[in-house]
């Protein structure tokens, strides 16, 4: 057979494979997901207004090392639509779940395995997952790739510090073969076509997903066992490294987490994207009769004796609770020193704090809570003395064994009516929707790490924060100021929030700061967020956030001084009393101004390197 004839037959085969293509559009028609079967197996692609977001890529799952996406036939297609809203503690107080969905029946011809690919297309992204029925114990693994468009710019960090790395801006071609990348991976599309971010959601009973570069623009999904153990895990759990390098088995039906691509023409769309929690299961009304508004779940601000000194005695913590009450904060977070106290001292502190409207949260290493019996013992003690919540630290791995522990802790914490803050954790995956007692997740390089901070802190709102709630522990006025200013540090409390907003600064230093009156008024949850057009990843973060009828404007700068203009058109009608906090010549000073302003006004803001600006607008 001639080479020309071979080529023609190959092209004909490709045409026959691609003859059946399935597409799913977002409700507004701007985003399209396409699926087809090719010679190498199932392929998919995603576009925004006909511009590529994900180039043709492999999509699939392996079960017991059989790649179910190779040699498949399409079966029944079941379209559906989601259209609901629900209360939320995120960039806005009401989340919107509006998607076109499609369940696609597939059959792997050689094994006869029938399974389903479920896809949802939202106006701000897509999500998909695999469902493989069956019984017994089986081992699933990944076969999905995200092929990014050539010319994309990416913001990435590796997993050596688990999810506490510092994002670097790179061209897509600069990602080396084999490089590990922590989701969410945010990238800017070439030709100013928009932005996208890759992550996962609905992670339950399964190993977490990381990404690995192939050096050709492809990011391959990998499960937790395949990711080299991080430094903190090797440090604390060396005996578990080999065991958790083995893939996890699933008993019964296999339901993968959702693979998510958040997509937007601008950064405002990305920051306000609800997909990660939309695809997570809603809370069980038996445990949470009013969802996130269940009476014992209270978001709030916390003081913390750790990064800025403190007297870690009973009397010292009473003083912290007294200062928390003076600030109007709701919590006092105690690190591990409390474990050396007699229970009577802890109860005395809890009772003293409660009288002042302050709840106590206790830190504990997950190594001390290795099984349900020990978790119950601690949680029963917390309930006995009246503790409000727990901060559990040092997970440091995404193997299913560790992922299962999160749910065990949250389930038992709900039983004992405790709020939860996870540290040393993996990126959020919507678990806070299913378990609304989860009010904080670290998975971030916070102020606990030494600076420099400026560029890092104007990158996080558009990268890590897209996955969901964080615990950055913002705002410090003394030795950890590093390359930032006081105004920048105040703005961090607005730009890097969490329903449980833990402040790094000693409460006495907050009260002594000239910005204290504004800091006391910054909430931990918001009704509305607008990302302003001057924002640029790693350069400037400019957000307007609303709580009730009060707006806060936070503008933080990266490494290069600049002057920016901000239009106040996010304000409602009428006049507003404005308090403005500006940089001064010295980083540890501010200028505070008082004005009356309207939505038709603009502000010119001069930002030094690492500088910041805060405005509060009260109708």
């Amino acid at each position: 057979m001639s080479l020309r004839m071979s080529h023609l037959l190959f092209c004909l085969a490709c045409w026959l494979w691609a003859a059946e293509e399935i597409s799913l559009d977002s409700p507004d028609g701007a985003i399209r997901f396409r699926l087809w079967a090719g010679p190498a197996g199932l392929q998919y692609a995603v576009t925004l207004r006909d511009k590529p977001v994900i180039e043709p890529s492999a999509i699939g799952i392996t079960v017991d090392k059989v790649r179910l996406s190779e040699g498949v036939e399409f079966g029944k297609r079941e379209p559906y639509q989601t259209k609901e809203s629900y209360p939320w503690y995120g960039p806005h107080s009401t989340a919107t779940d509006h998607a076109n969905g499609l369940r696609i029946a597939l059959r792997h011809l050689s094994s006869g395995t029938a399974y389903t690919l479920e896809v949802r297309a939202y106006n701000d992204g897509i999500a998909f997952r695999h469902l493989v029925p069956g019984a017994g114990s089986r081992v699933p693994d990944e076969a999905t790739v995200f092929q990014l468009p050539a010319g994309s710019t990416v913001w990435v960090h590796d997993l050596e510090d688990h999810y506490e790395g510092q994002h670097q801006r790179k061209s897509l071609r600069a990602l080396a073969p084999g490089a590990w990348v922590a989701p969410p991976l945010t990238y800017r599309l070439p030709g100013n076509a928009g932005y996208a971010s890759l992550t996962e959601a609905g992670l339950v009973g399964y190993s977490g997903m990381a990404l690995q570069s192939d050096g050709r623009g492809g990011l391959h999904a990998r499960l937790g066992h395949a990711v080299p153990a991080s430094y903190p895990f090797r440090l604390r759990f060396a005996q578990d490294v080999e065991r958790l390098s083995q893939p996890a088995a699933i008993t019964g039906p296999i339901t993968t987490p959702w693979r998510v691509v958040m997509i937007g023409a601008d950064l405002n769309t990305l920051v306000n994207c609800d997909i990660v929690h939309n695809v997570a299961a809603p809370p069980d009304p038996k445990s949470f009769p009013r969802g996130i508004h269940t009476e014992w779940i209270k978001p709030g601000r916390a003081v913390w004796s750790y990064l800025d000194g403190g007297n870690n005695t009973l009397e010292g913590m009473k003083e912290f609770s007294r200062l928390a009450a003076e600030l109007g904060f709701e919590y006092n977070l105690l690190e591990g020193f409390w474990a050396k106290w007699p229970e009577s001292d802890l109860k005395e502190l809890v009772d003293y704090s409660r009288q002042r409207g302050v709840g106590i949260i206790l830190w504990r290493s997950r190594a001390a809570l290795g099984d349900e019996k020990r978790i119950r013992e601690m949680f029963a003690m917390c309930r006995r003395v009246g503790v409000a919540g727990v901060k559990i630290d040092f997970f440091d791995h995404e193997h299913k064994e560790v992922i299962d522990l999160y749910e065990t802790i949250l389930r038992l914490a709900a039983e004992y009516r405790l709020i939860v803050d996870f540290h040393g954790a993996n990126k959020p995956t919507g678990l806070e929707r299913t378990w609304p007692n989860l009010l904080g997740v670290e998975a971030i390089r916070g102020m606990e790490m030494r600076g420099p901070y400026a560029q890092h802190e104007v990158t996080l709102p558009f990268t890590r924060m897209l996955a969901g709630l964080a615990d950055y522990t913002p705002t410090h006025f003394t030795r950890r100021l590093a390359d930032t200013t006081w105004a920048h540090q105040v703005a961090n409390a607005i730009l890097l929030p969490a329903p449980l907003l833990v402040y790094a600064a000693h409460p006495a230093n907050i009260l002594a700061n000239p910005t204290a009156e504004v800091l006391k008024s910054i909430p931990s949850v918001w009704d509305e967020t607008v990302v302003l057009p001057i924002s640029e990843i790693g350069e400037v973060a400019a957000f307007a956030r609303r709580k009730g009828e009060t707006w806060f404007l936070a503008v933080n700068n990266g490494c290069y001084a600049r002057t920016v203009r901000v239009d106040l058109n996010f304000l409602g009608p009428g006049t507003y009393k404005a308090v403005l906090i500006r940089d001064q010549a010295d980083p540890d000073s501010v200028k505070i101004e008082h004005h009356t302003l309207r939505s038709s006004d603009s502000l010119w803001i001069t930002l030094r390197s690492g500088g910041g600006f805060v405005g509060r607008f009260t109708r």
Side-chain angles (χ1 to χ4, degrees):
M1 184 182 296
S2 69
L3 287 175
R4 178 177 174 79
M5 181 62 69
S6 297
H7 178 71
L8 288 172
L9 289 174
F10 175 78
C11 291
L12 177 62
C14 290
W15 180 83
L16 290 172
W17 274 109
E20 185 171 21
E21 179 178 292
I22 298 170
S23 65
L24 181 68
D25 289 353
S26 59
D28 66 1
I31 291 174
R32 172 167 290 183
F33 174 96
R34 295 166 45 231
L35 177 75
W36 65 96
L42 286 176
Q43 299 277 302
Y44 78 109
V46 182
T47 55
L48 170 64
R49 298 191 180 97
D50 298 324
K51 298 291 181 65
V53 176
I54 301 291
E55 299 278 12
S57 305
I59 184 172
I61 183 175
T62 70
V63 176
D64 292 337
K65 298 184 179 180
V66 176
R67 189 178 291 256
L68 298 183
S69 55
E70 292 182 350
V72 297
E73 67 177 6
F74 292 113
K76 180 181 177 182
R77 297 158 207 181
E78 180 187 346
Y80 67 94
Q81 189 175 78
T82 66
K83 197 168 187 179
E84 65 168 325
S85 60
Y86 52 92
W88 191 240
Y89 291 146
H92 35 251
S93 57
T94 302
T96 301
D97 182 355
H98 185 196
N100 290 329
L102 187 62
R103 298 182 185 94
I104 306 162
L106 299 164
R107 190 168 72 92
H108 182 241
L109 294 174
S110 63
S111 69
T113 303
Y115 66 103
T116 299
L117 173 66
E118 182 175 8
V119 186
R120 292 185 189 176
Y122 291 84
N123 292 340
D124 50 11
I126 62 98
F128 59 86
R129 66 175 177 176
H130 291 85
L131 302 96
V132 187
S137 178
R138 294 170 296 169
V139 178
D141 211 338
E142 280 293 329
T144 291
V145 180
F146 304 91
Q147 185 71 38
L148 275 52
S152 296
T153 301
V154 297
W155 284 265
V156 295
H157 76 74
D158 63 23
L159 287 149
E160 174 60 10
D161 291 316
H162 200 43
Y163 281 90
E164 298 179 32
Q166 194 158 4
H167 291 85
Q168 304 295 322
R169 172 180 166 170
K170 296 185 177 184
S171 65
L172 178 62
R173 66 177 180 272
L175 277 183
W180 290 98
V181 178
L185 177 146
T186 297
Y187 58 104
R188 185 173 60 214
L189 299 168
N192 296 316
Y195 297 85
S197 192
L198 310 177
T199 193
E200 68 175 328
L203 174 58
V204 176
Y206 210 85
S207 292
M209 180 192 77
L211 300 168
Q212 189 175 28
S213 168
D214 62 14
R216 302 184 301 275
L219 281 303
H220 294 244
R222 305 290 192 217
L223 296 185
H225 69 272
V227 182
S230 67
Y231 167 73
F233 193 82
R234 300 193 307 269
L235 177 69
R236 300 184 182 100
F237 304 100
Q239 72 280 4
D240 296 333
V241 169
E242 183 176 353
R243 187 180 78 258
L244 297 194
S245 67
Q246 304 304 311
I250 305 288
T251 300
I254 296 170
T255 301
T256 73
W258 293 85
R259 296 353 185 170
V260 173
V261 186
M262 294 177 268
I263 305 167
D266 53 35
L267 294 173
N268 183 59
T269 303
L270 276 193
V271 168
N272 281 285
C273 182
D274 288 319
I275 296 177
V276 171
H277 38 276
N278 280 346
V279 298
D284 182 347
K286 293 179 181 177
S287 299
F288 307 102
R290 298 181 58 222
I292 66 170
H293 299 308
T294 298
E295 68 281 356
W296 55 270
I297 300 172
K298 294 181 172 62
R301 291 86 35 98
V303 297
W304 183 37
S305 174
Y306 191 68
L307 291 184
D308 201 15
N311 180 355
N312 297 333
T313 64
L314 173 59
E315 292 307 313
M317 287 301 97
K318 283 183 177 180
E319 176 67 2
F320 259 61
S321 289
R322 186 190 69 78
L323 293 172
E326 188 174 341
L327 285 164
F329 288 7
E330 292 79 8
Y331 295 105
N332 179 6
L333 171 57
L334 277 61
E335 286 296 307
F337 57 82
W338 68 270
K340 298 178 181 178
W341 294 4
E343 188 175 305
S344 58
D345 281 6
L346 185 57
K347 188 173 190 313
E348 183 177 338
L349 174 64
V350 168
D351 292 343
Y352 175 91
S353 304
R354 185 189 297 114
Q355 292 168 9
R356 288 154 182 80
V358 175
I360 297 297
I361 300 172
L362 303 179
W363 178 95
R364 196 67 167 160
S365 167
R366 69 112 166 164
L369 305 173
D371 55 49
E372 185 164 328
K373 179 177 180 292
R374 285 186 285 173
I375 297 170
R376 282 190 179 277
E377 287 173 354
M378 181 186 173
F379 289 2
M381 182 277 296
C382 290
R383 186 70 186 271
R384 191 163 59 241
V385 301
V387 165
V390 292
K391 172 182 174 181
I392 311 299
D393 206 346
F394 305 145
F395 293 86
D396 302 323
H397 207 292
E398 283 191 286
H399 192 279
K400 178 181 179 294
E401 176 182 310
V402 180
I403 299 301
D404 289 345
L405 184 59
Y406 289 110
E407 280 221 299
T408 299
I409 290 171
L410 288 167
R411 172 175 54 83
L412 295 175
E415 184 179 329
Y416 288 91
R417 298 193 167 195
L418 297 170
I419 62 171
V420 178
D421 181 13
F422 285 133
H423 268 230
N426 64 291
K427 79 279 187 189
T429 59
L431 202 59
E432 64 270 33
R433 183 181 182 197
T434 310
W435 301 98
N437 54 329
L438 178 58
L439 295 183
V441 174
E442 188 184 30
I444 197 168
R445 186 180 180 89
M447 289 210 79
E448 189 174 355
M449 304 289 192
R450 295 287 182 179
Y453 297 121
Q455 185 177 51
H456 178 56
E457 290 169 343
V458 296
T459 301
L460 288 173
F462 313 109
T463 52
R464 156 62 182 87
M465 301 294 288
L466 300 180
L469 75 177
D471 188 6
Y472 185 78
T473 61
T475 311
H476 203 288
F477 296 118
T478 56
R479 62 186 181 277
R480 285 183 182 264
L481 201 59
D483 61 340
T484 67
T485 67
W486 276 3
H488 183 111
Q489 288 295 316
V490 176
N492 275 346
I494 300 167
L495 290 167
L496 303 171
L500 178 63
L501 182 58
V502 181
Y503 279 83
H506 193 294
N509 289 335
I510 296 176
L511 287 162
N513 195 275
T515 65
E517 193 270 330
V518 169
L519 272 169
K520 286 197 262 186
S521 67
I522 295 173
S524 67
V525 294
W526 298 95
D527 293 329
E528 183 179 357
T529 294
V530 179
V531 181
L532 302 180
I534 61 170
S535 296
E536 185 177 348
I537 304 175
E539 300 292 333
V540 179
F543 283 37
R545 295 197 194 263
R546 179 180 61 82
K547 180 66 175 178
E549 293 195 346
T550 300
W551 282 91
F552 290 81
L553 169 63
V555 184
N556 265 352
N557 194 29
C559 298
Y560 300 102
R562 72 192 78 221
T563 298
V564 298
R565 171 180 153 166
V566 175
D567 296 328
L568 302 183
N569 51 16
F570 55 84
L571 296 175
T575 59
Y576 288 77
K577 293 180 180 179
V579 180
L580 310 181
I581 300 172
R582 298 181 184 268
D583 286 329
Q584 289 275 65
D586 296 325
D588 55 353
S589 63
V590 292
K591 180 181 181 182
I592 299 179
E593 303 171 358
H594 298 268
H595 300 277
T596 300
L597 296 168
R598 294 176 173 270
S599 63
S600 56
D601 293 323
S602 299
L603 295 173
W604 285 97
I605 303 170
T606 299
L607 297 164
R608 55 180 293 157
S609 171
F613 172 92
V614 172
R616 186 186 66 193
F617 305 86
T618 307
R619 190 186 296 275

